[in-house]
Amino acid sequence: MARGKLRIYLGAAPGVGKTYAMLSEAHRRTERGTDCVVAFVEHHHRPRTEVMLHGLEQIPRRQLEYRGTAFEEMDVDAVLARRPRVALVDELAHTNVPGSRNAKRWQDVEELLAAGIDVVTTVNIQHLESLGDVVESITGVRQRETVPDEVVRRADQIELVDMSPQALRRRMAHGNIYQPDKVDAALSNYFRPGNLTALRELALLWVADRVDAYLNEYRTEHRVSTIWGSRERIVVGLTGGPEGRTLIRRAVRLAEKGAGGEVLAVYISRSDGLSAASPRELAVQRTLVEDLGGTYHQVIGDDIPAALLDFARGVNATQIVLGVSRRRTWQYVFGPGVGATVARESGPDLDVHLITHDEVGKGRGLPVARGARLGRSRVVGGWLVGVLGPVLLTWLLNSASPDVGLANDMLLFLTLTVAAALLGGLFPALASAVAGSLLLNWYFTPPLHTLTIADPQNIVAIAIFVGVAVSVASVVDLAARRTHQAARLRAESEILSFLAGNVLRGETSLEELLERVRETFGMESVALLERTGETAPWTCAGSVGPEPAEVPEAADVDVPVGDHMALSLRGRVLPATDRRVLAAFAAQAAVVLDRERLQREADRAKDLAEGNRIRTALLAAVSHDLRTPLAGIKASVSSLRSDDVEWSEQDRAELLAAIEDGADRLDHLVGNLLDMSRLQTGTVTPIVRETDLDEVVPMALGGVPGDSVELDIPEILPMVAVDRGLLERAVANVVENAVKYSPPGEKVLVSASALADRVEVRVVDRGPGVPDEAKDRIFEPFQRYGDSPRGVGVGLGLAVARGFTEAVGGTLHAEDTPGGGLTMVLTVPTAPRRRPQQPELPATATA
């Protein structure tokens, strides 16, 4: 059975017309004779959307009951039984009511697609899982309902439903999206012009990336090698020289001239590892291009022009930016240069810009080939085989072996030459070839014991022997060198990959990085030294290993990092071939040090800001909220002590009640302040014991009127493992907050239920509720939501409740009450179940 096709209408915000567009598409398909049904569409009482449902077959919804409230969800079984050609399913990111077939609606859609049913659905950009943090930073609202990006990316067709922020706000003001009583709040919060503009840009960029992916897939499937200039992509060729910064900035200016331009900086490294590039300069240029919005790439290729052109065509680039060659005039005898070659072979679809700079014609220095470090013992062994081997072989052939023929003699000498190449490299093999040819001529080629060769065929044989020996030695030596270079480059690539990954993502501390340096190069100690000026003393910013160097001059290896920093290593002197990777380590060590210092400064600034905020709030609380009950107490006491007025018994009782009420309020406020200070200083130590919830919750209701709370705590609930006192205080604060905001005559419902290994306490009120963006802020210290009057508290009740709940291993969060209001959900762990002890019975029993 073929899988159904998925079509998604993607929008930047609610109200842009996704559902309307989906229903319009359904009418068009129905008119063409397609079997199309409405599996689930939510019109949200929008008249124009509701009208579009007329004339379309609708599948009856499934009725579900959850916590005493009836809900409607899509009936997946009914849709599968009806088996239409196309099903309309609104709100792809919706979370189904517990008890549904699947937890998420996108999982329902997957079932329909697997059954061969085409699905048309809708989703907003803020519901994509990968964009949750970005959307929260823009709007301040955390999206609870999300859909995995891969589900949306797998869609056969994605259509963006776009609308300008001004048009969307006008639609909102006209009442076409929300009910009139919610319009003002929506326009001043989520639907602000800045929020809508940012969400619109996010949606456009996401869809543009998806279009790029479709284009690349099409080009790959159809093997399209020519460049399609759908948008400007500019490739910058870097050499690791100082002119790279100029090229990057020029490329960025070129990209800014066209909408949606993109800059890709690329460095071509040779496969043999030979390079004259500065790792430090490349790191600076990589940071520069990423700061300017571009991307950095590094590819391997021995033919630099060909590798550069292959990369540019692979990313569908439209322009290449190169710097004018730094080679001197006489160096052009070796070839036209990279720039001229790229310009000649680029073709008509790829523009090449040659940018002048200050380094033109100053020379660039040629890289020095690194020989294979075979080790002293191998080199000595190669020379012994190459020089003494032919002598010993000649003695053996003359004394111990009969005449085996000149051809066999040559093969034996050739074997020694190959052995010398394998052990010591090229030069011992050449020595072996020369010595072998002379000994063959003297001892085995007639006339013997002379350098004269009588037979011309022997002359040809000797010449072929020398040629073959030299050729084989060269090939074997080259293979040995390339093998060593490949192993070295593999190790270097692993090291540089570590730097580019862990270090740049901030996952490595300075000590870990220095320890990696010490292990990589086999050193005894590594230290990062710095000083404030040319004459200032050196100080150690970080070190690993025993007795690190205190000054660069005392180290075996010293790598400068800027003008006032150096990486110093002790243990042994490193060869020059290791300094490239070591320089990259040094540059990254400086970056890690700067990042750690900036992080510490940011943490200190955050602590100071939080401290200042709390002190300011505390002063405000002391100056007003605490003084209010004190003022009432003082006024009542002054009235009672006054000799000018004769108070009746009823008046005296009222004044004494006012004093008692003010003292209770003051005690409650001071208690919350002390509890908050205990939580912030970490001095709350819970004593966890097994407790029945129906014994704790009723005790927490002593501070509220008895007729303001409705209690529903079943006796069959399992026991919970909590600190009874802390849980009682937490429940008391939550209930008092709910009673405070409940309208007159409405009771607060306190219910409890068991869920797996936890018990959930729900405190439900019918008050004004709290919007999603403020649900987390109400648990912060000194926070009061809405128009709560002064003098009713300092805003610590919920903060203390959450702190005490988390101290006993539970959680506390807020949810919307269906029908209006706020529900506080407090969960605590149940006590571990004990297996009942079996009574000990005697082995035999008598009646």
Side-chain angles (χ1 to χ4, degrees):
M1 179 185 300
R3 179 180 172 87
K5 296 185 179 298
L6 177 62
R7 178 172 182 171
I8 296 178
Y9 286 93
L10 178 69
V16 296
K18 304 181 302 299
T19 305
Y20 191 92
M22 179 179 66
L23 294 174
S24 299
E25 175 66 19
H27 280 287
R28 287 192 294 271
R29 295 195 182 196
T30 302
E31 292 173 359
R32 294 195 300 264
T34 304
D35 182 15
C36 184
V37 302
V38 176
F40 189 96
V41 170
E42 187 62 60
H43 55 72
H44 297 291
H45 303 290
R46 298 169 186 169
R48 297 185 179 182
T49 306
E50 189 173 1
V51 170
M52 293 296 294
L53 286 170
H54 296 167
L56 297 176
E57 179 185 351
Q58 300 186 44
I59 301 294
R61 302 181 182 183
R62 183 183 179 188
Q63 300 290 332
L64 293 172
E65 185 175 346
Y66 179 66
R67 300 190 182 280
T69 305
F71 297 91
E72 292 183 343
E73 294 290 355
M74 180 175 68
D75 194 338
V76 180
D77 294 325
V79 178
L80 292 174
R82 169 64 176 77
R83 198 168 187 78
R85 185 68 187 88
V86 179
L88 308 183
V89 182
D90 205 4
E91 299 178 357
L92 183 63
H94 172 74
T95 300
N96 294 329
V97 173
S100 301
R101 184 187 184 98
N102 295 302
K104 288 285 193 175
R105 185 163 293 167
W106 65 263
Q107 295 172 327
D108 296 338
V109 169
E110 287 293 322
E111 284 198 36
L112 300 182
L113 294 173
I117 301 174
D118 294 347
V119 176
V120 183
T121 185
T122 64
V123 71
N124 282 329
I125 192 67
Q126 63 264 30
H127 293 299
L128 294 183
E129 201 167 70
S130 65
L131 301 178
D133 296 338
V134 179
V135 174
E136 183 179 10
S137 65
I138 294 172
T139 64
V141 179
R142 182 67 180 182
Q143 297 296 328
R144 304 295 180 185
E145 294 185 330
T146 59
V147 59
D149 288 45
E150 185 60 26
V151 174
V152 182
R153 290 185 183 277
R154 286 201 306 262
D156 299 277
Q157 186 174 351
I158 300 176
E159 183 170 335
L160 178 65
V161 182
D162 189 28
M163 178 176 288
S164 68
Q166 293 77 12
L168 183 58
R169 285 173 59 84
R170 283 196 301 270
R171 178 181 289 185
M172 173 74 69
H174 293 160
N176 295 332
I177 301 177
Y178 291 156
Q179 297 299 320
D181 57 338
K182 298 181 179 180
V183 170
D184 291 338
L187 290 175
S188 59
N189 290 284
Y190 191 87
F191 286 83
R192 293 194 299 268
N195 288 359
L196 296 178
T197 302
L199 291 174
R200 187 188 188 198
E201 181 181 10
L202 198 62
L204 291 171
L205 290 175
W206 194 91
V207 174
D209 288 341
R210 185 58 184 153
V211 172
D212 284 343
Y214 279 134
L215 180 61
N216 290 334
E217 290 175 6
Y218 180 86
R219 286 166 51 85
T220 302
E221 291 175 0
H222 294 78
R223 298 181 180 180
V224 178
S225 59
T226 59
I227 293 175
W228 290 357
S230 54
R231 65 169 172 171
E232 293 294 337
R233 281 190 178 88
I234 303 175
V235 171
V236 184
L238 301 179
T239 64
E243 77 280 0
R245 307 182 196 182
T246 302
L247 302 183
I248 292 172
R249 294 189 179 97
R250 181 62 182 274
V252 170
R253 290 198 298 271
L254 289 174
E256 290 174 350
K257 294 180 180 179
E262 184 179 357
V263 175
L264 302 90
V266 59
Y267 171 70
I268 310 295
S269 61
R270 294 178 58 185
S271 60
D272 58 4
L274 305 181
S275 174
S278 167
R280 182 181 176 188
E281 184 63 30
L282 283 176
V284 172
Q285 293 174 13
R286 176 174 186 163
T287 304
L288 175 62
V289 71
E290 290 176 349
D291 290 343
L292 294 177
T295 57
Y296 178 86
H297 307 267
Q298 184 166 341
V299 299
I300 296 177
D302 293 325
D303 190 343
I304 294 179
L308 184 60
L309 289 171
D310 289 342
F311 175 82
R313 293 191 174 99
V315 299
N316 199 28
T318 56
Q319 302 180 54
I320 295 179
V321 174
L322 299 173
V324 177
S325 178
R326 287 182 287 151
R327 296 192 300 175
R328 302 185 188 277
T329 304
W330 61 268
Q331 291 178 316
Y332 281 96
V333 299
F334 298 106
V338 174
T341 304
V342 170
R344 185 181 67 247
E345 299 179 1
S346 60
D349 53 354
L350 190 57
D351 298 334
V352 179
H353 300 267
L354 293 179
I355 308 300
T356 59
H357 48 83
D358 296 335
E359 304 298 320
V360 173
K362 293 184 178 180
R364 54 177 299 170
L366 297 177
V368 179
R370 298 179 301 170
R373 288 158 47 187
L374 299 175
R376 178 171 298 181
S377 59
R378 288 190 59 179
V379 173
V380 171
W383 280 104
L384 290 175
V385 172
V387 176
L388 298 181
V391 176
L392 293 176
L393 180 59
T394 301
W395 178 78
L396 288 174
L397 291 175
N398 282 329
S399 61
S401 299
D403 187 11
V404 295
L406 181 60
N408 292 327
D409 294 337
M410 289 183 177
L411 290 177
L412 292 174
F413 278 96
L414 183 60
T415 302
L416 286 179
T417 302
V418 173
L422 289 173
L423 286 175
L426 179 62
F427 294 106
L430 293 178
S432 176
V434 172
S437 61
L438 293 175
L439 291 172
L440 280 171
N441 188 11
W442 185 269
Y443 288 100
F444 303 102
T445 305
L448 301 179
H449 306 299
T450 65
L451 295 179
T452 303
I453 302 176
D455 190 351
Q457 293 182 354
N458 292 337
I459 298 177
V460 175
I462 293 293
I464 292 175
F465 165 76
V466 174
V468 171
V470 172
S471 301
V472 171
S474 300
V475 172
V476 172
D477 177 74
L478 180 60
R481 291 176 183 272
R482 289 296 173 86
T483 301
H484 176 269
Q485 289 169 355
R488 178 179 181 83
L489 287 175
R490 182 174 63 251
E492 289 185 3
S493 65
E494 292 175 356
I495 295 170
L496 295 176
S497 175
F498 164 80
L499 290 176
N502 297 48
V503 177
L504 295 180
R505 287 194 301 266
E507 300 174 356
T508 302
S509 64
L510 180 61
E511 287 72 18
E512 292 175 346
L513 181 62
L514 296 181
E515 181 63 29
R516 182 64 182 264
V517 174
R518 191 175 72 87
E519 294 177 355
T520 300
F521 297 100
M523 307 301 287
E524 295 179 359
S525 63
V526 180
L528 183 63
L529 307 177
E530 64 175 347
R531 59 181 178 181
T532 57
E534 294 293 340
T535 59
W538 289 95
T539 59
C540 182
S543 64
V544 293
E547 299 181 359
E550 298 180 356
V551 293
E553 292 78 11
D556 295 317
V557 181
D558 169 33
V559 179
V561 186
D563 297 331
H564 306 298
M565 191 175 293
L567 185 66
S568 302
L569 296 84
R570 273 187 171 178
R572 62 189 179 91
V573 178
L574 294 177
T577 53
D578 289 336
R579 296 187 68 89
R580 182 179 67 173
V581 177
L582 187 59
F585 269 113
Q588 292 303 327
V591 172
V592 171
L593 178 62
D594 291 340
R595 188 185 65 240
E596 290 184 350
R597 288 176 174 174
L598 290 174
Q599 185 62 44
R600 287 195 293 267
E601 292 292 335
D603 293 340
R604 282 197 294 268
K606 182 179 179 181
D607 294 339
L608 290 174
E610 181 66 17
N612 289 333
R613 188 184 68 83
I614 293 179
R615 279 193 295 271
T616 302
L618 181 59
L619 289 175
V622 171
S623 63
H624 191 285
D625 296 313
L626 295 182
R627 291 182 62 184
T628 299
L630 283 175
I633 294 173
K634 179 174 174 41
S636 299
V637 171
S638 300
S639 299
L640 289 174
R641 296 187 60 187
S642 175
D643 297 331
D644 300 336
V645 181
E646 186 66 27
W647 302 102
S648 64
E649 290 297 328
Q650 182 179 358
D651 294 336
R652 295 175 65 86
E654 291 179 356
L655 291 173
L656 290 174
I659 294 174
E660 184 178 11
D661 181 65
D664 289 341
R665 288 170 55 191
L666 188 62
D667 178 70
H668 182 72
L669 295 175
V670 172
N672 277 337
L673 288 172
L674 293 177
D675 289 339
M676 197 67 233
S677 66
R678 291 170 59 201
L679 288 171
Q680 290 186 340
T681 56
T683 56
V684 176
T685 305
I687 302 175
V688 178
R689 295 175 180 172
E690 295 184 2
T691 306
D692 282 323
L693 202 62
D694 57 356
E695 296 179 0
V696 178
V697 175
M699 298 296 296
L701 307 181
V704 297
D707 59 348
S708 62
V709 178
E710 179 183 348
L711 199 60
D712 181 16
I713 307 294
E715 296 181 357
I716 60 174
L717 290 177
M719 301 186 71
V720 294
V722 296
D723 184 305
R724 181 167 180 168
L726 296 182
L727 181 61
E728 182 179 329
R729 290 292 304 277
V731 174
N733 283 357
V734 172
V735 173
E736 290 174 7
N737 183 79
V739 171
K740 182 193 308 179
Y741 287 98
S742 291
E746 290 284 352
K747 290 186 178 182
V748 173
L749 173 62
V750 180
S751 62
S753 59
L755 298 173
D757 59 344
R758 306 183 75 79
V759 172
E760 183 179 272
V761 179
R762 303 179 72 87
V763 181
V764 183
D765 67 62
R766 296 291 179 178
V770 176
D772 292 339
E773 64 269 17
K775 283 187 172 63
D776 288 333
R777 291 202 306 268
I778 60 176
F779 293 102
E780 297 178 1
F782 303 104
Q783 295 291 324
R784 291 182 297 188
Y785 177 73
D787 55 354
S788 176
R790 304 291 295 183
V792 299
V794 294
L796 286 175
L798 294 181
V800 171
R802 172 173 275 188
F804 283 170
T805 303
E806 293 177 348
V808 299
T811 61
L812 177 62
H813 66 276
E815 295 180 356
D816 291 329
T817 301
L822 190 68
T823 299
M824 292 290 180
V825 183
L826 187 151
T827 60
V828 290
T830 59
R833 296 183 179 180
R834 298 196 181 103
R835 298 180 59 182
Q837 296 182 355
Q838 300 292 337
E840 296 182 0
L841 300 177
T844 59
T846 58

